[in-house]
């Protein structure tokens, strides 16, 4: 009979000539930049996330050999992940920090502006959005201290960075990542 590489042995075989088991076919996803290898029904394919992204992408092959929506929740920018790790370890962001208020205010304002820079003009992956939302939540918890500062500079910087980051996350270019995040969670 035909080999597993022939189209009649892939999903949609109506010829009845295929003697090999059905498989989800190799598929190149130009939007995400991932090539999914042929996979048996009921299995989950795992591929590395695209360049400059950390983690692995997964995609299920249904029992009738049809590709399901990819799960890219682990795919995220290495620079954004490094930044998030740095923020989470910074003494000024640890709840109940004994850092001086001026230091917390300055760190928060700077970090919010850096997050807006890291998320600007980029097609974000699902993990980038999830990490950015967690960071915004952390920064939001510091807002009272920032706005109570004696100088208006930190508050203006904080507000500009916070709003720009939120705007960066909801661009049309990031809709696919939001959908992926919603379908996986």
């Amino acid at each position: 009979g035909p080999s597993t590489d022939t189209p009649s042995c892939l999903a949609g075989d109506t010829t009845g000539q295929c003697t090999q088991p059905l498989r989800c076919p190799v598929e190149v996803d130009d939007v995400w930049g991932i090539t999914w290898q042929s996979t048996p029904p009921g299995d989950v394919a795992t591929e590395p996330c695209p360049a400059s992204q950390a983690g692995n992408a997964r995609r299920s092959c249904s029992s009738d050999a049809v590709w399901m929506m990819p799960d890219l929740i682990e795919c995220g920018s290495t620079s954004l992940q490094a930044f998030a790790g740095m923020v989470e370890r910074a003494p000024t962001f640890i709840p109940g920090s004994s850092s001086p208020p001026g230091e917390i205010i300055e760190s928060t304002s700077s970090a919010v502006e850096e997050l807006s820079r890291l998320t600007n003009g980029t097609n974000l992956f699902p993990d980038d959005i999830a990490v950015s939302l967690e960071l915004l939540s952390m920064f939001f918890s510091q807002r009272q201290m920032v706005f109570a500062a004696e100088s208006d500079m930190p508050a203006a910087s904080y507000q500009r960075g916070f709003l720009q980051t939120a705007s960066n996350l909801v661009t049309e270019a990031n809709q696919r990542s939001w959908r992926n995040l919603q379908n996986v969670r």
Side-chain angles (χ1 to χ4, degrees), residues 80-103:
L80 190 56
Q81 287 181 353
F83 174 70
M86 181 193 72
V87 166
E88 289 166 3
R89 288 187 304 277
T92 52
F93 295 110
I94 295 171
S97 171
S98 61
S99 299
E103 196 176 307

Side-chain angles (χ1 to χ4, degrees), residues 62-127:
S62 72
S63 59
D64 54 346
V66 175
W67 282 118
M68 305 308 289
M69 177 181 251
D71 168 359
L72 290 103
I73 189 63
E74 289 183 19
C75 294
S77 155
T78 53
S79 57
L80 190 56
Q81 287 181 353
F83 174 70
M86 181 193 72
V87 166
E88 289 166 3
R89 288 187 304 277
T92 52
F93 295 110
I94 295 171
S97 171
S98 61
S99 299
E103 196 176 307
I104 294 172
I105 292 165
E106 188 57 42
S107 293
T108 301
S109 295
S110 296
V112 170
E113 287 225 276
E114 179 63 9
L115 181 59
S116 76
R117 189 189 67 72
L118 287 169
T119 57
N120 188 30
T122 318
N123 287 351
L124 300 171
F125 275 73
D127 188 60

